[in-house]
Each structure stands twice: as C-alpha cells, then as structure tokens.
Amino acid sequence: EPLTSRQAAELQSKVVPSKQILHSDNMEMEPETMETKSVTDYFSKMHMGSLSYSCNSKRKNK
Amino acid sequence: LQYENLMEASCLELALEGERLCKMGDCQAGVSFFEAAVQVGTEDLKTLSAIYSQLGNAYFYLHDYTKALEYHHHDLTLARTIGDRLGEAKASGNLGNTIESAWKFEEAIVCGQRHLEISRELYDKVGEARALYNLGNVYHSQSKNIGCIGTHDPGEFPEEVKAALQKAADYYEANLIIVTELGDRAAQGRAYGNLGNTNYLLGNFRKAVMFHEQRLLIAKEFGDRPAERRAYSNLGNSFIFLGEFEMAAEYYKRTLQLARQLKDRAVEAQSCYSLGNTYTLLQDYGKAIDYHLKHLTIAQELNDRVGEGRACWSLGNAYTALGNHDQAMHFAEKHLEISREVGDRSGELTARLNLSDLQMVLGLSYSTNNSVLSENQDADYNLHVARSRLGRRHSMENMELVKLTPQKVQNWN
C-alpha cells in the first residue's frame, strides 16, 4: 500500500462521531409543574359585579 | 367606606385581568396587572396570597428567578400567618421549584419535603403526587449539576451522580403510582418522560425505551405534539446507545418531521445534527453530510456559532471518511476559526489535530502528484481504499458495540 493511501486510510479510521456529541445535552425533560392559586374562585361565586362582592366578603370577614 | 369598596373592587379586577392574561400565555402583561393589584392592596389575605403566588409563577415563566423567589416567599409567609396549610404546601412547592432553578438543591429539597409532608398530613393525594414529581426533578437537576453529565456516556457516571439519579427515579416512580391511581393521564405522561430520561442516564436503555414509548402513547392520546416530538427524540437517543442505529434514525426522522410542522428551527437543527451523527454511525456518509449541511444552514441562520462549529467538525469528519480531503480541509479550517472565536479550547485542539492529519495526507499527495488529473485519480484511489477499509472498520465498530451494549443488557435483566 502506498504511503499516502495508508495515511488517508488511517485518517478515515479516526472518523467516529464523538459519543459525547451524540448525547450532546439534547435529552428533553418534561415541563415543571407549579402549584396554582386563583382569585377567580372567590369571584366566580358572585354574578352581580365586584362592588356587591366586596361588600359580601367584608360581611363574611366580620 | 365607598372609596374602600372601590379600591377593593379594583384590586380584584386587576388581579382577574392578570389571571386572564397569564392563562392566555402573556405573562409579561399579566405581571403588570398583578403588580398594580398589589399596589392597590386588599384586606383579604387569601386574595393577596393568590396574587403573590401568581406573580411568583409569572416571573418564574419569564425566567426572572430573583423576583419569583421574592413573591413565593411572600406567599409562604402569608399562608403561614393565616394558617392556610394547603396554601403553605403550595407555596413551599413553588419556592422549591424556584430555588432549584437557582441551583440551590439542598434548600430546594427542604421545600419539596415540606410540600410533601403537608400534603400527606392533609391527605391531599394530588399535592403529594406533585411534590414527589418536584422532588424527582430536583434530584435529576442535582445529578446534572454535579458536572459530569456532558463528559461521560450514559450509564458511566461517578457514583455520586448515579445516587442522585437513582433518587430521582425513586421519586418519579412514587409519583407514577399515585397519578395512575388518580387516573391523571397528563401527569402520567410527564412521569414516564422523566423516568425515561433518568433511566437513560443510568444506562438502563431498554427501560428508558419502555418509558418513552408509554410517554409517546399518552402524548398521542392528548394530541400533544411537542410532547410527541420530545418522546421521538428521547427514543432516538436511547436506541443509539442500544446500538440500534436504524431505529434511532427512524425516530430522529419523526422528530425532524414534527419540528418542521411545529416550525421550531432550533429543534429542527438538533434533529438534523442527530441524524447526521446517526448516519455516520451507519457509515452512510452521503446522508450524514446532507443532514449536517442542513444543520449548518440553520445554525448560521440562528447565529448559533457553537452549533456551527460542531457542524463543521462533523462535516470535516464525514468528508474525511469519503476521502474528500479538500472539503474536509475547508471544514476543519472553519472549525478551528469558530473554536477560537467562541473560546472552545478542546474544539481548537481537535481542529488542529484534524488539520495536521489532513495536511499530511494532502501534502504527500501534492508532492507525489503535480497534476490536477493525477490528484483526482489519487482521490478516487483513496475512496477505493476507504471502501475496502469499511469492512475492517465495521467489525471494529461492532466490537466497540459489543463492549457498549450486551454487558448493559445483562444488567437490566
């Protein structure tokens, strides 16, 4: 085998994709879940507008 | 009194508008309304607690963790003040998630444990499950933060990392049991996905495939295409390490298809890159080059210099494998230039080695042949040599895979 082609062949034998690259931080996690609170819970109980609600809520608080 | 009522009303109305905007996904606008609601103030401490909590979450989604921390902390203090145990549990959970994002894992674990304890005390199964999921996430992040995830193959991390991953897996499993009992399919999907990834990192690739297949099933049930795409991508990764490259290519192709449908250029680039690497492993260098060129185009479009450097490196390798040394030189030079620019020392070193190898081959072929014609013949000859070597390389790689796979397969059974 001529020198050049042997070197070319040796060079080719080095061609292996880096395993590090194969799993290069592309693992995909599921989203986090945050706990939720809502003011709608109070608000949806009333159908007459916010003023009457706040009066009711004050009465309840006393 | 009239004035007070008006103020009360406007605080609520502002908060409701904030809620509506956040639900629509416009957290930035939602924050303005919540902040205004806080300015107006309210006597109802439960309402205030809900506002703080939502402000904390909005800032969390906007990646402003300092502000998120501040508001979740306010919420926790308030919940304790008014003796709202459920509110306290929720605030602890959110605080834990936020602290985890700041990479303070010990503190995040304390918050997560509190979330778990109170939920159990209140017989709140939903809260308990969510706390378990959060704790799984904290241990998973902690394992990544120990700092070796990028430098080892899955399944070959130091004991410390494996221990954190095992804890994460235990918490996800405990979460899965409860959400299965509750029949909460969406939560099951999340647990399966993260269990799949945790087992992948632990080197349990068969198990990882099994979990990601379950995740895929649920994603399809919900028509959740981003989740479906995630599952394909994670399945591809698992099959790579099982040495089943054809399967990996199939899943990466589906990832690519969905990335294009979802118009997500960054993910499209990542899929092309994964496919390029997979076809390199399959020794189909023509296809590898096609995909790496696609990856290169998008990386340039997104101004992702690191990605561009990786693409050049991969292209240099693939052209070298084909014996196309001129193109290989071109990309190796670009790889060197970009590595210098982004300060990637190991990339720079790799590029220099590749260049000196290539120069030797090219230099010798130039010195032995002074005509373009004979150079081309030489290139053909090199290609011929390359093909004749494939048989040998193939068996070498099989040996490598024998080392990589069956031992681990035995560990799972």
Side-chain angles (χ1 to χ4, degrees):
Chain A
E1 227 179 359
L3 189 64
T4 322
S5 25
R6 201 182 65 225
Q7 277 176 325
E10 272 168 14
L11 191 55
Q12 276 151 357
S13 72
K14 290 183 182 177
V15 179
V16 180
S18 147
K19 278 191 236 155
Q20 198 177 319
I21 263 185
L22 283 171
H23 57 93
S24 61
D25 54 39
N26 67 338
M27 196 185 64
E28 298 198 62
M29 295 295 284
E30 297 295 324
E32 305 107 331
T33 50
M34 300 298 278
E35 302 307 307
T36 53
K37 297 180 182 183
S38 160
V39 298
T40 317
D41 304 346
Y42 310 123
F43 208 61
S44 57
K45 288 173 193 160
M46 38 106 15
H47 310 279
M48 294 171 63
S50 48
L51 281 180
S52 61
Y53 162 74
S54 71
C55 293
N56 290 340
S57 74
K58 286 226 162 90
R59 232 171 280 143
K60 258 183 271 171
N61 287 344
K62 277 172 189 167
Chain B
L1 192 74
Q2 193 66 29
Y3 173 75
E4 247 180 55
N5 284 348
L6 270 171
M7 292 295 273
E8 196 71 20
S10 69
C11 172
L12 256 177
E13 277 166 2
L14 288 165
L16 283 168
E17 185 58 14
E19 259 177 45
R20 194 185 65 82
L21 288 161
C22 284
K23 275 205 183 92
M24 279 172 50
D26 190 351
C27 286
Q28 196 66 61
V31 160
S32 317
F33 278 90
F34 282 128
E35 297 268 23
V38 171
Q39 285 298 313
V40 171
T42 174
E43 285 180 11
D44 186 322
L45 295 183
K46 264 207 153 170
T47 299
L48 190 59
S49 155
I51 294 171
Y52 283 152
S53 178
Q54 289 181 91
L55 261 169
N57 284 349
Y59 277 122
F60 182 88
Y61 293 126
L62 293 166
H63 305 292
D64 184 341
Y65 298 117
T66 311
K67 279 235 154 86
L69 206 59
E70 187 187 320
Y71 282 111
H72 284 312
H73 207 267
H74 284 330
D75 183 27
L76 182 64
T77 309
L78 201 54
R80 282 184 178 162
T81 307
I82 58 178
D84 172 9
R85 293 292 274 168
L86 179 63
E88 186 183 341
K90 284 183 172 186
S92 297
N94 290 337
L95 201 57
N97 281 351
T98 310
I99 292 171
E100 183 210 323
S101 300
W103 290 17
K104 292 180 180 164
F105 302 106
E106 299 306 325
E107 289 172 57
I109 289 165
V110 171
C111 290
Q113 290 289 3
R114 191 186 302 123
H115 185 193
L116 183 64
E117 268 165 42
I118 301 174
S119 299
R120 283 177 175 165
E121 176 195 313
L122 300 172
Y123 300 105
D124 171 9
K125 277 290 188 188
V126 174
E128 183 182 350
R130 291 165 73 96
L132 291 165
Y133 179 76
N134 288 348
L135 281 162
N137 284 342
V138 177
Y139 280 108
H140 187 102
S141 299
Q142 189 185 35
S143 76
K144 280 183 177 165
N145 193 53
I146 296 169
C148 321
I149 292 279
T151 51
H152 290 69
D153 282 334
E156 290 168 14
F157 299 114
E159 284 312 310
E160 192 189 359
V161 178
K162 280 187 182 170
L165 285 167
Q166 193 51 59
K167 273 210 141 123
D170 294 345
Y171 278 112
Y172 290 137
E173 296 261 14
N175 160 273
L176 186 60
I177 290 168
I178 298 179
V179 295
T180 305
E181 276 171 17
L182 295 169
D184 182 346
R185 291 292 281 167
Q188 278 177 59
R190 286 193 293 271
Y192 281 130
N194 286 354
L195 264 170
N197 284 334
T198 307
N199 277 284
Y200 165 81
L201 289 175
L202 283 166
N204 309 329
F205 303 114
R206 285 271 166 234
K207 245 178 153 178
V209 165
M210 190 187 76
F211 284 126
H212 286 309
E213 279 171 347
Q214 290 297 319
R215 207 290 159 255
L216 180 61
L217 214 64
I218 295 172
K220 283 179 172 169
E221 243 173 67
F222 280 85
D224 180 347
R225 293 201 306 171
E228 190 182 338
R229 192 199 52 65
R230 278 200 300 276
Y232 288 142
S233 166
N234 292 329
L235 278 162
N237 296 342
S238 304
F239 279 113
I240 286 280
F241 280 89
L242 284 168
E244 296 176 35
F245 306 138
E246 296 279 5
M247 281 294 274
E250 278 314 302
Y251 281 115
Y252 286 141
K253 275 183 201 161
R254 289 185 195 180
T255 312
L256 179 59
Q257 217 174 11
L258 270 177
R260 283 176 176 159
Q261 281 175 19
L262 296 165
K263 303 212 178 342
D264 187 335
R265 291 293 272 172
V267 172
E268 188 180 339
Q270 178 66 57
S271 321
C272 289
Y273 186 61
S274 301
L275 276 162
N277 287 324
T278 309
Y279 280 113
T280 303
L281 287 167
L282 285 164
Q283 299 179 333
D284 186 339
Y285 300 111
K287 271 191 182 154
I289 287 168
D290 282 348
Y291 282 114
H292 281 309
L293 284 171
K294 285 191 178 102
H295 169 225
L296 179 63
T297 307
I298 303 174
Q300 285 168 339
E301 176 196 316
L302 300 175
N303 285 321
D304 170 11
R305 289 295 272 174
V306 175
E308 205 180 326
R310 280 183 183 172
C312 290
W313 179 14
S314 306
L315 282 160
N317 280 340
Y319 278 118
T320 301
L322 287 176
N324 186 337
H325 297 125
D326 290 335
Q327 283 286 22
M329 274 292 275
H330 165 75
F331 283 110
E333 277 165 0
K334 277 199 75 167
H335 178 215
L336 178 61
E337 177 198 323
I338 293 168
S339 299
R340 274 194 197 135
E341 184 197 313
V342 299
D344 173 4
R345 294 305 300 254
S346 76
E348 199 179 322
L349 192 68
T350 308
R352 279 184 198 286
L353 286 172
N354 286 343
L355 274 169
S356 71
D357 282 348
L358 283 160
Q359 272 159 346
M360 198 150 62
V361 171
L362 280 173
L364 281 165
S365 62
Y366 283 130
S367 66
T368 49
N369 310 287
N370 294 323
S371 76
V372 175
L373 183 71
S374 59
E375 198 194 321
N376 284 343
Q377 284 170 337
D378 196 42
D380 281 349
Y381 181 65
N382 284 347
L383 190 61
H384 168 75
V385 172
R387 285 188 182 138
S388 70
R389 277 197 60 98
L390 279 186
R392 246 181 303 167
R393 277 205 44 225
H394 193 60
S395 56
M396 288 287 287
E397 266 176 17
N398 281 348
M399 278 176 61
E400 173 71 11
L401 283 172
V402 166
K403 209 176 67 184
L404 182 85
T405 318
Q407 275 180 356
K408 290 180 180 166
V409 173
Q410 280 161 14
N411 294 345
W412 315 319
N413 297 339

